[in-house]
Amino acid sequence: MNKLLKVIGLFMAILFLSHCSQKQDSSKAEVKDLSEQARITSQNQAPDSVRPLLEQADQALSRGQSSQAINHLQRALQISPATAEIQQRLAEAYLADGRYRQAAYWADIVVNAGPKTEPLCSQSRQTLALAAEAQGDLSTQTKALAALNDCL
């Protein structure tokens, strides 16, 4: 099961990386103030109540509809705001949509307050590294990649 999760995680990272190379961040808007959102993740796995939204988000991403996936994930986050899995998926959807600041914001939350175990640990650091690279923030990218060694 762990190998399957790692393979899926790596596949998603490659998919997002290939999408990122084709899409540029044309938005100059600031990251929406999400201070009302819980920054401390209290649970890693999303509850069953949001699974249908996560499935809809996965389907939208597979069709290349990252904005629609983001909408589904934002609704899931409203139901379960302190869930690392949802926060990480939202970071990945923002990355796929070319919204690198938002991707970095959510990945950073999971890196700093999320689990230190696989698979979310490495996924969050990889997402943060990709978002930082897309923004030209080599310092954050280097730190995120170095932090991969901290995952248990």
Coordinates of all heavy atoms in Angstrom, one line a residue, residues 46-81:
A46 N -8.6 12.9 5.4 CA -9.9 13.5 5.3 C -11.0 12.6 5.8 O -10.9 11.4 5.6 CB -10.1 13.9 3.9
P47 N -12.0 13.1 6.4 CA -13.1 12.3 6.9 C -13.9 11.8 5.7 O -13.9 12.4 4.6 CB -13.9 13.2 7.8 CG -13.5 14.6 7.3 CD -12.1 14.5 6.8
D48 N -14.7 10.8 6.0 CA -15.6 10.2 4.9 C -16.6 11.2 4.4 O -16.9 11.1 3.2 CB -16.4 9.0 5.5 CG -15.5 7.8 5.8 OD1 -14.3 7.8 5.2 OD2 -15.9 6.9 6.6
S49 N -16.9 12.2 5.1 CA -17.9 13.2 4.7 C -17.4 14.0 3.5 O -18.3 14.6 2.8 CB -18.3 14.1 5.8 OG -17.2 14.8 6.3
V50 N -16.1 14.1 3.3 CA -15.6 14.9 2.2 C -15.1 14.0 1.0 O -14.6 14.6 0.0 CB -14.5 15.9 2.6 CG1 -15.1 16.9 3.6 CG2 -13.3 15.2 3.2
R51 N -15.1 12.7 1.2 CA -14.6 11.8 0.2 C -15.2 12.1 -1.2 O -14.5 12.1 -2.2 CB -14.7 10.4 0.6 CG -13.7 10.0 1.6 CD -12.3 9.8 1.1 NE -11.4 9.8 2.2 CZ -10.1 10.2 2.1 NH1 -9.6 10.5 0.9 NH2 -9.4 10.2 3.1
P52 N -16.5 12.3 -1.3 CA -17.1 12.6 -2.6 C -16.5 13.8 -3.3 O -16.3 13.9 -4.5 CB -18.6 12.7 -2.4 CG -18.8 11.9 -1.1 CD -17.6 12.1 -0.3
L53 N -16.3 14.9 -2.5 CA -15.7 16.1 -3.0 C -14.2 15.8 -3.5 O -13.8 16.4 -4.5 CB -15.7 17.2 -2.0 CG -17.1 17.8 -1.6 CD1 -17.0 18.7 -0.4 CD2 -17.6 18.6 -2.8
L54 N -13.5 15.0 -2.8 CA -12.1 14.7 -3.2 C -12.1 13.9 -4.5 O -11.3 14.1 -5.3 CB -11.4 13.9 -2.1 CG -11.2 14.6 -0.7 CD1 -10.5 13.8 0.3 CD2 -10.5 16.0 -0.9
E55 N -13.1 13.0 -4.6 CA -13.2 12.2 -5.8 C -13.6 13.1 -7.0 O -13.0 13.0 -8.1 CB -14.2 11.1 -5.7 CG -13.8 10.0 -4.7 CD -14.9 9.0 -4.4 OE1 -15.9 9.0 -5.2 OE2 -14.7 8.2 -3.5
Q56 N -14.5 14.1 -6.8 CA -14.8 15.0 -7.8 C -13.6 15.9 -8.2 O -13.4 16.2 -9.4 CB -16.0 15.9 -7.4 CG -17.3 15.1 -7.3 CD -18.4 16.0 -6.6 OE1 -18.1 17.0 -6.0 NE2 -19.6 15.5 -6.8
A57 N -12.8 16.3 -7.2 CA -11.6 17.0 -7.5 C -10.6 16.2 -8.4 O -10.1 16.7 -9.3 CB -11.0 17.5 -6.2
D58 N -10.5 15.0 -8.0 CA -9.6 14.1 -8.8 C -10.0 13.9 -10.2 O -9.2 14.0 -11.1 CB -9.5 12.7 -8.1 CG -8.7 12.7 -6.8 OD1 -8.0 13.6 -6.5 OD2 -8.9 11.7 -6.1
Q59 N -11.3 13.8 -10.4 CA -11.9 13.6 -11.7 C -11.7 14.9 -12.5 O -11.3 14.9 -13.7 CB -13.3 13.3 -11.7 CG -13.6 11.9 -11.2 CD -15.1 11.6 -10.9 OE1 -15.9 12.5 -11.1 NE2 -15.4 10.4 -10.4
A60 N -11.9 16.1 -11.9 CA -11.7 17.4 -12.6 C -10.2 17.5 -13.0 O -9.9 18.0 -14.1 CB -12.2 18.5 -11.7
L61 N -9.3 17.2 -12.1 CA -7.9 17.3 -12.4 C -7.5 16.4 -13.6 O -6.7 16.8 -14.4 CB -7.0 17.0 -11.2 CG -6.8 18.1 -10.2 CD1 -6.1 17.6 -9.0 CD2 -6.1 19.3 -10.8
S62 N -8.1 15.2 -13.6 CA -7.7 14.2 -14.7 C -8.2 14.7 -16.0 O -7.7 14.4 -17.0 CB -8.3 12.9 -14.4 OG -9.7 12.8 -14.5
R63 N -9.2 15.6 -16.0 CA -9.8 16.2 -17.2 C -9.1 17.6 -17.5 O -9.4 18.2 -18.5 CB -11.3 16.4 -17.1 CG -12.1 15.2 -17.0 CD -13.6 15.5 -17.1 NE -14.1 16.4 -16.1 CZ -14.6 16.1 -15.0 NH1 -14.7 14.9 -14.6 NH2 -15.0 17.1 -14.1
G64 N -8.1 18.0 -16.7 CA -7.4 19.2 -16.9 C -8.2 20.4 -16.4 O -7.9 21.5 -16.8
Q65 N -9.2 20.2 -15.6 CA -10.1 21.3 -15.1 C -9.6 21.6 -13.7 O -10.4 21.4 -12.7 CB -11.5 20.9 -15.2 CG -12.0 20.6 -16.6 CD -13.4 19.9 -16.6 OE1 -13.8 19.3 -15.6 NE2 -14.1 20.1 -17.7
S66 N -8.5 22.2 -13.6 CA -7.9 22.5 -12.2 C -8.8 23.5 -11.4 O -8.9 23.4 -10.2 CB -6.5 23.0 -12.3 OG -6.3 24.0 -13.2
S67 N -9.4 24.5 -12.1 CA -10.2 25.5 -11.4 C -11.4 24.8 -10.7 O -11.8 25.1 -9.6 CB -10.7 26.6 -12.3 OG -9.6 27.4 -12.7
Q68 N -12.0 23.9 -11.5 CA -13.1 23.1 -10.9 C -12.7 22.3 -9.7 O -13.3 22.2 -8.7 CB -13.8 22.3 -12.0 CG -15.1 21.6 -11.5 CD -15.7 20.8 -12.7 OE1 -15.1 20.5 -13.6 NE2 -17.0 20.6 -12.5
A69 N -11.5 21.7 -9.9 CA -10.9 20.9 -8.8 C -10.7 21.7 -7.5 O -11.0 21.3 -6.4 CB -9.6 20.2 -9.2
I70 N -10.2 22.9 -7.7 CA -10.0 23.8 -6.6 C -11.3 24.1 -5.9 O -11.4 24.2 -4.7 CB -9.3 25.1 -7.1 CG1 -7.8 24.8 -7.5 CG2 -9.4 26.2 -6.0 CD1 -7.1 25.9 -8.3
N71 N -12.4 24.4 -6.7 CA -13.7 24.6 -6.1 C -14.1 23.5 -5.2 O -14.6 23.7 -4.1 CB -14.7 24.9 -7.1 CG -14.5 26.2 -7.8 OD1 -13.9 27.1 -7.3 ND2 -15.0 26.4 -9.1
H72 N -14.0 22.2 -5.7 CA -14.4 21.1 -4.9 C -13.5 21.0 -3.6 O -14.0 20.7 -2.5 CB -14.2 19.8 -5.7 CG -15.1 19.7 -6.8 ND1 -16.5 19.7 -6.7 CD2 -14.9 19.5 -8.2 CE1 -17.1 19.6 -7.9 NE2 -16.1 19.4 -8.8
L73 N -12.2 21.3 -3.7 CA -11.3 21.1 -2.6 C -11.6 22.3 -1.6 O -11.5 22.0 -0.3 CB -9.9 21.2 -3.0 CG -9.5 19.9 -3.8 CD1 -8.2 20.1 -4.5 CD2 -9.4 18.7 -2.9
Q74 N -11.9 23.4 -2.0 CA -12.3 24.5 -1.1 C -13.5 24.2 -0.3 O -13.6 24.5 0.9 CB -12.5 25.8 -1.9 CG -11.1 26.4 -2.3 CD -11.3 27.7 -3.2 OE1 -12.3 27.9 -3.8 NE2 -10.3 28.5 -3.2
R75 N -14.5 23.5 -1.0 CA -15.7 23.1 -0.2 C -15.3 22.0 0.8 O -15.8 22.0 1.9 CB -16.8 22.6 -1.2 CG -17.5 23.7 -1.9 CD -18.7 23.2 -2.6 NE -18.3 22.2 -3.6 CZ -18.7 22.1 -4.8 NH1 -19.6 23.0 -5.3 NH2 -18.3 21.2 -5.6
A76 N -14.5 21.1 0.4 CA -14.0 20.1 1.4 C -13.3 20.7 2.6 O -13.5 20.3 3.7 CB -13.1 19.1 0.7
L77 N -12.5 21.8 2.3 CA -11.8 22.5 3.3 C -12.7 23.2 4.3 O -12.5 23.3 5.5 CB -10.8 23.5 2.7 CG -9.7 24.0 3.6 CD1 -8.8 22.8 4.0 CD2 -8.9 25.0 2.9
Q78 N -13.9 23.7 3.8 CA -14.9 24.3 4.6 C -15.5 23.3 5.6 O -15.8 23.6 6.7 CB -16.0 25.0 3.8 CG -15.5 26.2 3.1 CD -16.6 26.7 2.1 OE1 -17.5 26.0 1.7 NE2 -16.4 28.0 1.7
I79 N -15.6 22.1 5.2 CA -16.2 21.0 6.0 C -15.2 20.5 7.0 O -15.5 20.3 8.2 CB -16.7 19.9 5.1 CG1 -17.8 20.3 4.2 CG2 -17.1 18.7 6.0 CD1 -18.2 19.3 3.2
S80 N -13.9 20.4 6.6 CA -12.9 19.9 7.4 C -11.6 20.7 7.3 O -10.7 20.3 6.6 CB -12.6 18.4 7.1 OG -11.7 17.8 7.9
P81 N -11.6 21.9 7.9 CA -10.5 22.9 7.6 C -9.1 22.5 8.1 O -8.1 23.1 7.6 CB -11.0 24.2 8.3 CG -11.9 23.7 9.3 CD -12.6 22.4 8.8

